[in-house]
């Protein structure tokens, strides 16, 4: 009896494998026929293209191999994962434009692995829920609200400058760990209305949990077991995820409770649903994202605590991690390019005055720093904070006039796009002049998309740019950045964001 059951189970498994392989093979063959401009990554039965990751399965090796595919095989690729399941990896601007501007807003599998953490916040939500949340949250990033946040940007940047003083003349140090605490302080105060003083308490369990959770997501994405999600609760990673989620969600819950108590204790400043009118949102009131979420209603009902937490988690993660990436890589590149650094400093002196490190920066001041703007664009070209975005095909997604089969994963490899030598000659060379008006006008508008594009572009991009500009001005006003030793040359990996493997190292001296 037992033997018969085992044989029946074995037969069921074999039948499923054969059926799945046959279906995936047929889909791949159809894609090859309908998309002749796409190249196909070499694959083997069952394992798909995973054998190409022979250099290792750690995050740095995974990312290096993935980004190298486009240099070896071409811009637009048909890839195959476990069981030869097909997906598309695209980098040509013409194809990227078609995908981004399709009516679908479904996300790919990488976002599924993020859902235990951020559930269905703005980043992962689809359909009506996404449209409602986007409409609700947009006012919190209006330019007049952002101007109110510049006080916090200035203050926390000055704290960062003060904390860095211990590294003056001390040789190589990892500036990433300083910047990540600064940006966490900024996002907590501006978006949530709560000071967590991370820069004064650097051993933050939350920051550590963010990094570990991001690594775990990447490991799940590239695991051969990712198609067998029912197995995950039995794996060691599941226990790790549970521990990390406890840290992350407890932190978020504490922020929500703290802000609720503040609003209750400051009744004169409390926002009610009736006060959420244009005069409040665009007037003198300093509106935080959390304030808005705590008081908004959808179809006559307030958002629940889980609804609020998923948006808070999304912005606490994305709002500090992406800016940390940009600023850390930025400091690294500026240190290695003294001519760029001198030109930045000269512009700051000319626009802001010789004592600009003590100036309280305003929006209008920052907008006049044109070379700084070009420099940040070049930072985000060579090291885009979000190197990969994904979509899932639905009935209305087409490429080059070909309707994609439903359920095909499409990966837009932003890092490979931005480092394509056909679009950006000598892509490893750091050159802000790529983004002067003349050079920018020559490029396809979708050749450079550090904040994505279309309906689902980054809602916080203006916020991020103002924060980055403020911190870089304060940093360069106080210190001259020097390059690190060759042994500390930056290596990169990617999970949700692009990160330096062991850190972003520089030296600093007083100006």
């Amino acid at each position: 009896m037992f033997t018969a059951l085992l044989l029946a189970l074995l037969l069921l498994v074999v039948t499923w494998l054969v059926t799945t392989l046959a279906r995936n093979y047929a889909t791949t063959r159809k894609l090859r026929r309908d998309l002749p401009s796409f190249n196909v990554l070499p694959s083997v039965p069952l394992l798909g293209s995973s054998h190409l990751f022979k250099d290792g399965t750690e995050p740095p090796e995974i990312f290096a191999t993935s980004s190298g595919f486009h240099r070896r095989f071409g811009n637009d690729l048909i890839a195959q994962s476990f069981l030869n399941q097909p997906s598309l990896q695209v980098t040509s601007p013409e194809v990227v434009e078609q995908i981004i501007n399709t009516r679908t807003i479904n996300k790919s599998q990488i976002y599924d692995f993020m859902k235990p953490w951020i559930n269905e916040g703005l980043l992962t939500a689809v359909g009506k829920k996404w449209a409602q949340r986007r409409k609700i949250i947009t006012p919190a990033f209006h330019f007049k609200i952002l101007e109110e946040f510049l006080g916090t940007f200035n203050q926390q940047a000055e704290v960062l400058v003060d904390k860095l003083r211990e590294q003056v003349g001390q040789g190589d140090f990892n500036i990433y760990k300083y910047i990540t605490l600064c940006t966490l302080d900024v996002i907590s105060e501006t978006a949530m209305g709560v000071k967590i003083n991370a820069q004064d308490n650097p051993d933050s369990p939350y920051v550590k949990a963010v990094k570990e959770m991001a690594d775990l997501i990447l490991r799940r994405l590239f695991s051969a077991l990712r198609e067998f999600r029912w197995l995950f609760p039995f794996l060691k990673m599941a226990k790790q995820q549970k521990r990390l989620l406890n840290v992350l969600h407890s932190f978020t819950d504490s922020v929500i409770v703290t802000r609720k108590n503040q609003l209750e204790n400051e009744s004169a400043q409390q926002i009610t649903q009736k006060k959420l009118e244009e005069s409040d949102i665009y007037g003198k009131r300093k509106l935080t994202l959390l304030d808005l979420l705590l008081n908004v209603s959808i179809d006559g009902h307030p958002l629940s605590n889980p609804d609020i937490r998923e948006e808070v988690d999304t912005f606490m993660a994305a709002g500090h991690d992406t800016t940390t990436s940009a600023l850390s890589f930025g400091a690294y590149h500026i240190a290695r390019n003294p001519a760029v650094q001198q030109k930045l400093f000269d512009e700051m002196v000319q626009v802001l005055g010789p004592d600009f490190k003590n100036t309280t920066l305003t929006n209008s001041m920052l907008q006049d720093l044109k070379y700084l703007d070009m420099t940040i664009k070049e930072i985000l070209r060579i090291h885009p904070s979000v190197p990969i975005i994904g979509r899932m095909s639905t009935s209305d997604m087409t490429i080059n006039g070909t309707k994609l089969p439903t359920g095909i994963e499409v990966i837009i490899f932003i890092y490979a796009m931005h480092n394509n030598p056909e679009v950006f000659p000598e892509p490893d060379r750091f050159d802000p002049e790529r983004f002067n008006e003349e050079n920018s006008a020559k490029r396809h508008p979708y050749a450079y998309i550090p904040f994505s594009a279309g309906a689902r572009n980054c809602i916080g991009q203006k916020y991020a740019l103002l924060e980055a500009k403020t911190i870089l001005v304060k940093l360069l006003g106080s210190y001259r950045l020097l390059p690190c030793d060759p042994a500390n040359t930056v290596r990169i990996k990617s999970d949700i964001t692009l990160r330096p493997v062991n850190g972003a190292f520089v030296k600093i001296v007083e100006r």
Side-chain angles (χ1 to χ4, degrees):
M1 181 68 175
F2 182 70
T3 303
L5 286 174
L6 283 178
L7 288 173
L9 180 60
L10 180 61
L11 180 61
L12 184 64
V13 170
V14 171
T15 302
W16 176 77
L17 282 172
V18 172
T19 302
T20 301
L21 283 169
R23 182 181 66 246
N24 290 342
Y25 175 75
T27 302
T28 301
R29 192 167 73 169
K30 184 178 187 302
L31 289 171
R32 294 179 69 171
R33 184 186 68 241
D34 294 344
L35 299 170
S37 62
F38 279 63
N39 292 322
V40 183
L41 287 183
S43 64
V44 296
L46 289 179
L47 297 179
S49 305
S50 60
H51 68 290
L52 298 176
F53 291 86
K54 58 186 177 182
D55 291 333
T57 56
E58 292 299 310
E61 287 76 28
I62 289 173
F63 185 75
T65 301
S66 297
S67 58
F69 288 156
H70 296 277
R71 290 192 297 272
R72 293 170 59 189
F73 301 106
N75 287 338
D76 300 322
L77 305 172
I78 299 172
Q80 295 175 78
S81 60
F82 184 62
L83 297 179
N84 293 78
Q85 181 175 343
S87 63
L88 303 180
Q89 292 188 11
V90 302
T91 64
S92 64
E94 297 78 11
V95 174
V96 169
E97 180 179 15
Q98 294 173 60
I99 294 168
I100 283 181
N101 288 325
T102 191
R103 288 175 294 167
T104 183
I105 53 173
N106 285 1
K107 294 294 190 87
S108 64
Q109 287 192 73
I110 185 173
Y111 302 95
D112 290 340
F113 297 131
M114 296 171 64
K115 285 183 179 180
W117 177 12
I118 64 176
N119 198 20
E120 292 188 356
L122 191 63
L123 181 63
T124 53
V126 298
K128 182 180 178 181
K129 181 176 181 179
W130 172 83
Q132 288 177 332
R133 294 290 177 88
R134 180 86 180 200
K135 184 177 180 180
I136 287 170
I137 293 170
T138 295
F141 293 93
H142 187 271
F143 75 93
K144 288 190 177 179
I145 300 298
L146 295 181
E147 286 181 342
E148 293 290 325
F149 294 155
L150 274 162
T152 299
F153 294 169
N154 277 274
Q155 179 186 7
Q156 295 299 343
E158 288 164 4
V159 173
L160 171 64
V161 167
D162 185 60
K163 296 294 182 183
L164 289 174
R165 193 153 282 115
E166 65 187 25
Q167 297 292 346
V168 171
Q170 298 300 309
D172 286 10
F173 74 99
N174 179 15
I175 198 170
Y176 183 97
K177 69 178 185 179
Y178 289 89
I179 291 175
T180 193
L181 296 171
C182 175
T183 58
L184 185 56
D185 274 340
V186 169
I187 192 67
S188 297
E189 185 173 348
T190 57
M192 309 308 155
V194 174
K195 291 187 177 183
I196 62 171
N197 300 315
Q199 294 190 85
D200 292 325
N201 300 284
D203 296 324
S204 168
Y206 179 80
V207 173
K208 294 178 181 178
V210 167
K211 294 177 182 177
E212 287 187 48
M213 189 66 186
D215 280 339
L216 188 148
I217 290 168
L218 184 72
R219 291 178 186 277
R220 289 194 67 188
L221 183 66
F222 282 89
S223 171
L225 298 177
R226 79 173 193 177
E227 307 301 329
F228 304 96
R229 300 191 188 187
W230 58 271
L231 278 176
F232 182 72
F234 303 100
L235 302 179
K236 185 178 179 180
M237 280 193 296
K239 293 182 180 180
Q240 181 189 9
Q241 177 174 281
K242 183 178 180 180
R243 174 181 61 81
L244 296 173
L245 290 176
N246 182 58
V247 174
L248 295 167
H249 289 163
S250 295
F251 176 84
T252 307
D253 288 339
S254 70
V255 170
I256 294 172
V257 170
T258 300
R259 189 56 180 161
K260 276 186 175 180
N261 291 337
Q262 284 181 349
L263 292 176
E264 289 173 358
N265 294 333
E266 300 169 5
S267 57
Q269 299 178 13
Q270 187 175 11
I271 303 175
T272 65
Q273 180 63 29
K274 291 182 180 179
K275 290 182 180 179
L276 280 176
E277 300 172 347
E278 187 172 310
S279 59
D280 288 309
I281 294 174
Y282 304 124
K284 295 182 178 180
R285 174 180 293 282
K286 184 178 179 179
L287 178 71
T288 69
L289 171 67
L290 181 55
D291 292 339
L292 191 151
L293 294 172
L294 286 169
N295 293 280
V296 77
S297 294
I298 296 178
D299 298 328
H301 301 286
L303 293 177
S304 66
N305 279 354
D307 288 334
I308 294 172
R309 187 174 74 180
E310 64 190 11
E311 298 301 348
V312 172
D313 279 334
T314 297
F315 279 87
M316 290 299 287
H320 95 276
D321 215 25
T322 52
T323 312
T324 297
S325 172
L327 286 166
S328 300
F329 286 122
Y332 176 83
H333 286 296
I334 290 170
R336 292 168 64 88
N337 292 272
V340 170
Q341 184 171 181
Q342 188 61 48
K343 193 167 182 178
L344 285 168
F345 184 80
D346 292 344
E347 179 185 62
M348 293 170 189
V349 170
Q350 181 181 357
V351 173
L352 305 174
D355 192 35
F356 69 85
K357 71 177 181 179
N358 296 316
T359 299
T360 299
L361 302 170
T362 65
N363 184 38
S364 60
M365 291 177 182
L366 294 173
Q367 297 310 318
D368 287 339
L369 297 171
K370 303 302 182 183
Y371 191 72
L372 176 60
D373 186 62
M374 291 192 297
T375 301
I376 291 175
K377 287 180 178 178
E378 176 68 347
I379 293 166
L380 292 173
R381 179 200 66 80
I382 198 167
H383 283 131
S385 296
V386 179
I388 299 170
I389 57 177
R391 298 291 184 265
M392 190 71 73
S393 65
T394 64
S395 59
D396 63 348
M397 183 179 279
T398 61
I399 294 178
N400 297 339
T402 297
K403 180 179 174 181
L404 295 185
T406 299
I408 294 295
E409 186 175 46
V410 183
I411 301 298
I412 300 173
F413 214 124
I414 295 175
Y415 177 85
M417 292 174 61
H418 288 186
N419 286 272
N420 182 353
E422 295 179 7
V423 181
F424 298 100
E426 298 178 78
D428 293 336
R429 179 171 56 87
F430 189 81
D431 181 12
E433 292 297 338
R434 298 180 197 270
F435 293 95
N436 62 33
E437 290 186 12
E438 181 182 357
N439 289 329
S440 296
K442 297 175 183 177
R443 284 190 296 269
H444 191 287
Y446 284 80
Y448 176 75
I449 52 169
F451 296 101
S452 187
R456 295 202 69 139
N457 67 343
C458 175
I459 194 172
Q461 59 182 288
K462 292 181 180 178
Y463 172 102
L465 290 172
L466 279 178
E467 180 185 359
K469 288 178 181 179
T470 303
I471 292 174
L472 285 175
V473 169
K474 293 292 184 180
L475 180 63
L476 295 178
S478 295
Y479 305 117
R480 188 159 56 91
L481 305 182
L482 302 175
C484 64
D485 295 336
N488 287 323
T489 300
V490 75
R491 295 174 59 229
I492 59 175
K493 65 177 181 178
S494 175
D495 30 62
I496 301 167
T497 59
L498 197 69
R499 303 172 186 269
V501 175
N502 297 314
F505 287 84
V506 297
K507 300 181 181 74
I508 59 173
V509 294
E510 294 272 7
R511 285 213 179 259

